Amino acid sequence: MLADLVVVPEASLAPVPDSLSLEEAATLPCAALTAWQALVVRGGLAVGDTLLVQGTGGVALFGLQIASAFGAKTIVLSSSDEKRERATKLGAFATVNYRTTPDWDVEVRKLTGGLGVSHILELGGPDTFDRSLRALAAWGHIAQIGVFSGFGPHSNLMRLQLINGTIDGINVGSAEQFEAMNAFLAEHLIRPVIDRTFSFDETQAAYDELASGRHFGKLVIRL
């Protein structure tokens, strides 16, 4: 919150996990909890499922880590081959460079034997949503989270109906869900991926780095 003191309702608070530093814990309330609600609470993620994540930001990488712990396979989209390599080391089943492979929905279906993926963390918005629909398996689930490409025309949702798919709008989660997620992260020894930590005086540089898209995982400002 970039503040020394804040006032919040007690019901909105959860203890910092003993296994994490304050910097690591700071990444959890938004990015991790969003991925948790999308995949576990609303998506019913299970062993053997397949997941598609767009990019290598905080929500995407938490989704990858959570899915791996559940025994699900994750495909990561990224325009950076270096980030794709890092995602593979983090547990990705496969990666696709969406710049060199603009028809990434076709490639995703090939990687899943023509079936498509059972879960998608949709972070792109209008520029990616139609391809996400085509990459989704029958009875699949799209978690609508981000609109990185802005707001645009509505997609034709007929395919979602034809494959009996579902779409959920995701906006973080509750304190109860947060504590359940923290217990899961501790049990599976999952640690947040922090790309870089900035001092308070470097706040503008932190936002510039965020805008650049160069980061892998989370950026943290230390008070």
Side-chain angles (χ1 to χ4, degrees):
M1 299 182 193
L2 292 181
D4 294 307
L5 296 172
V6 296
V7 177
V8 296
E10 183 178 1
S12 298
L13 300 176
V16 172
D18 293 335
S19 59
L20 302 183
S21 67
L22 290 178
E23 286 81 5
E24 290 173 322
T27 70
L28 302 179
C30 186
L33 188 54
T34 295
W36 178 263
Q37 188 187 171
L39 294 175
V40 182
V41 179
R42 306 278 286 280
L45 185 71
V47 176
D49 282 355
T50 49
L51 165 67
L52 175 67
V53 299
Q54 299 167 347
T56 54
V59 175
L61 293 189
F62 274 118
L64 166 59
Q65 291 174 291
I66 291 170
S68 296
F70 264 87
K73 293 181 178 180
T74 301
I75 300 172
V76 176
L77 298 181
S78 176
S79 61
S80 166
D81 289 338
E82 185 264 337
K83 289 182 179 179
R84 290 171 57 210
E85 183 178 347
R86 293 177 68 179
T88 299
K89 293 179 179 177
L90 200 60
F93 158 68
T95 64
V96 179
N97 187 319
Y98 62 82
R99 294 222 187 274
T100 58
T101 309
D103 294 334
W104 49 261
D105 52 313
V106 177
E107 183 63 21
V108 166
R109 296 195 75 88
K110 288 180 181 177
L111 290 168
T112 55
L115 297 176
V117 291
S118 41
H119 300 271
I120 298 177
L121 296 186
E122 172 53 55
L123 301 166
D127 288 354
T128 59
F129 194 83
D130 285 338
R131 291 195 184 279
S132 288
L133 281 174
R134 293 194 290 270
L136 190 66
W139 305 97
H141 170 248
I142 293 178
Q144 178 58 48
I145 297 169
V147 285
F148 289 159
S149 60
F151 298 89
H154 297 293
S155 296
N156 183 347
L157 297 180
M158 179 56 69
R159 172 167 170 76
L160 191 72
Q161 180 179 346
L162 291 175
I163 64 172
N164 287 292
T166 59
I167 178 171
D168 283 322
I170 303 297
N171 185 25
V172 293
S174 68
E176 182 180 19
Q177 293 166 3
F178 191 20
E179 293 192 25
M181 178 195 72
N182 286 347
F184 177 88
L185 297 181
E187 177 186 355
H188 293 275
L189 305 178
I190 295 175
R191 304 190 76 91
V193 178
I194 296 177
D195 185 272
R196 185 176 170 188
T197 299
F198 297 81
S199 69
F200 183 79
D201 293 337
E202 296 174 311
T203 294
Q204 185 57 57
Y207 277 99
D208 291 342
E209 184 70 11
L210 179 66
S212 76
R214 291 186 296 260
H215 56 289
F216 182 87
K218 296 296 292 181
L219 300 172
V220 172
I221 297 173
R222 182 187 294 117
L223 291 174

